[in-house]
Amino acid sequence: MRISFCKIFFLSYLLKCAESEEPHCSKYDFEEKVLEKMVRMEFQMERIKSELEQTVKSVDWKLNEMVEKQVKHSLSIKTTQEKFSETIEALQNKTSEIIETKLKELQILKDQIVTPTVVFKARLNAYTAAPVGQVIVFPVVLFNEGDAYSSQTGKFTATTNGTYLFTIALCVQATKYLRVDIIVDDVAYTKTFIRDNDDVDCDTADTVSVLKAGQSVWVQPSGSSSGNIIYHSSTIWNTFSGVLLHK
C-alpha cells in the first residue's frame, strides 16, 4: 500500500513536469551566440582602434603644427630682438659719433672765439752791456702766463696765431747812447735811440705785430757805446713785456 502510493506520487510529478517543460534548444545555440557577440565585439574593437589611431594622428599633427608655429614665432621674436639690438647699437654708435663731432666743432669754435691768456714781463737785474747784433736777455721773469718767454734766450715764441703788443723800457747812462730794435724773426718792427749827455736817459718803445705760432720776438741793439751802458738801480727797471691782444 505504501509502495503504490509512492509510485502514484512519482508518476504525478513526472506528468506535471512534462506539462510545464518548454521546448529544448540546440546544444550549439549558446556557443553560436557567444561567437556572434565576440565577432561583434571584435568589429567594435577594430572600429574603436581605427578611430583612436586617427585621433592620435590628428592630435600629433596638431601638436607638430603648434610646435612648428611656436618655433617660427620664437625665431621671429629672436630675429626681431636681434634686429632691434642691432638698430639700438647702430643708433648709439651714430649718436656717439655725432656728439664727438659736435664736441670737436664746439672746441674749434671755442678756440676761434676765446683768446687764451698769453702775457709776460721780464727785467734786467744789473748794469748791462749791449753788444750790437746780440739779444738782450732779461733774466728776471715777473710773470709769464702761457710760458712763451724764455729767460735763457731772451726770446718770446708765439704759442698761438694772433695779434700781439710788445713793449720795452730801457735806461742808458749819461754820455752813453743806445740804438735798439724789437725784432720779429730777424726783421725789425720798431727802432728807437736813447742818449743824454748830462744824466741817465730812459725811453720806451713798442710794436704791434700779427704772429703765427712759432714766430719769435726779441730785443736787439743795432748800435751802442761800449761797456755796461744800460743803467740799473732798485728804482729804475729795464723791462721787456708782451701780451696777446686778439686771436
Side-chain angles (χ1 to χ4, degrees):
M1 181 71 179
R2 194 174 189 178
I3 295 172
S4 298
F5 176 79
C6 290
K7 287 181 179 179
I8 292 169
F9 179 80
F10 183 72
L11 288 173
S12 298
Y13 176 77
L14 288 176
L15 288 171
K16 186 69 174 174
C17 287
E19 288 176 359
S20 61
E21 190 176 8
E22 292 181 359
H24 239 348
C25 295
S26 168
K27 67 178 181 178
Y28 300 107
D29 184 60
F30 178 74
E31 289 81 352
E32 288 176 356
K33 289 182 179 180
V34 170
L35 181 61
E36 182 181 357
K37 287 183 179 182
M38 289 180 67
V39 170
R40 288 179 181 175
M41 288 179 64
E42 186 174 358
F43 284 140
Q44 290 290 332
M45 291 298 292
E46 288 293 332
R47 182 179 61 79
I48 293 170
K49 180 181 178 182
S50 177
E51 290 177 355
L52 285 173
E53 288 177 351
Q54 292 296 325
T55 302
V56 169
K57 288 180 180 179
S58 177
V59 170
D60 285 343
W61 184 81
K62 288 291 184 183
L63 285 174
N64 290 334
E65 185 180 26
M66 290 174 65
V67 169
E68 186 177 354
K69 287 182 178 180
Q70 185 64 34
V71 169
K72 289 181 179 179
H73 183 64
S74 299
L75 290 174
S76 176
I77 292 175
K78 184 177 179 181
T79 302
T80 303
Q81 289 176 339
E82 290 176 352
K83 289 182 177 179
F84 183 73
S85 298
E86 291 174 358
T87 303
I88 292 296
E89 185 177 358
L91 286 173
Q92 289 175 339
N93 293 335
K94 187 64 176 178
T95 302
S96 298
E97 290 177 2
I98 293 172
I99 291 173
E100 185 176 354
T101 300
K102 292 302 179 184
L103 286 175
K104 288 181 179 178
E105 291 176 355
L106 286 173
Q107 186 60 47
I108 292 172
L109 185 61
K110 179 182 177 182
D111 292 341
Q112 291 174 346
I113 295 174
V114 177
T115 299
T117 301
V118 181
V119 60
F120 80 97
K121 189 171 187 177
R123 67 179 180 86
L124 299 177
N125 58 355
Y127 284 88
T128 305
V132 174
Q134 292 188 15
V135 178
I136 298 177
V137 178
F138 296 80
V140 180
V141 177
L142 302 175
F143 49 84
N144 190 18
E145 295 294 328
D147 199 30
Y149 175 75
S150 171
S151 61
Q152 301 298 316
T153 64
K155 293 183 178 182
F156 171 90
T157 302
T159 56
T160 185
N161 299 346
T163 302
Y164 293 80
L165 170 65
F166 297 95
T167 303
I168 57 174
L170 294 171
C171 296
V172 177
Q173 296 193 64
T175 72
K176 302 293 184 178
Y177 76 92
L178 174 64
R179 290 188 180 93
V180 67
D181 306 335
I182 298 177
I183 305 294
V184 178
D185 283 350
D186 294 322
V187 177
Y189 272 46
T190 290
K191 291 178 176 286
T192 190
F193 179 75
I194 307 170
R195 180 176 182 175
D196 195 310
N197 291 326
D198 300 321
D199 200 356
V200 173
D201 188 25
C202 297
D203 202 355
T204 62
D206 59 60
T207 185
V208 175
S209 56
V210 178
L211 302 179
K212 292 183 178 179
Q215 287 188 284
S216 295
V217 181
W218 63 89
V219 180
Q220 179 176 300
S222 57
S224 66
S225 301
S226 61
N228 294 330
I229 63 171
I230 299 178
Y231 179 81
H232 171 74
S233 75
S234 60
T235 58
I236 298 176
W237 283 3
N238 300 278
T239 62
F240 175 36
S241 60
V243 60
L244 173 62
L245 299 176
H246 180 70
K247 184 177 179 180

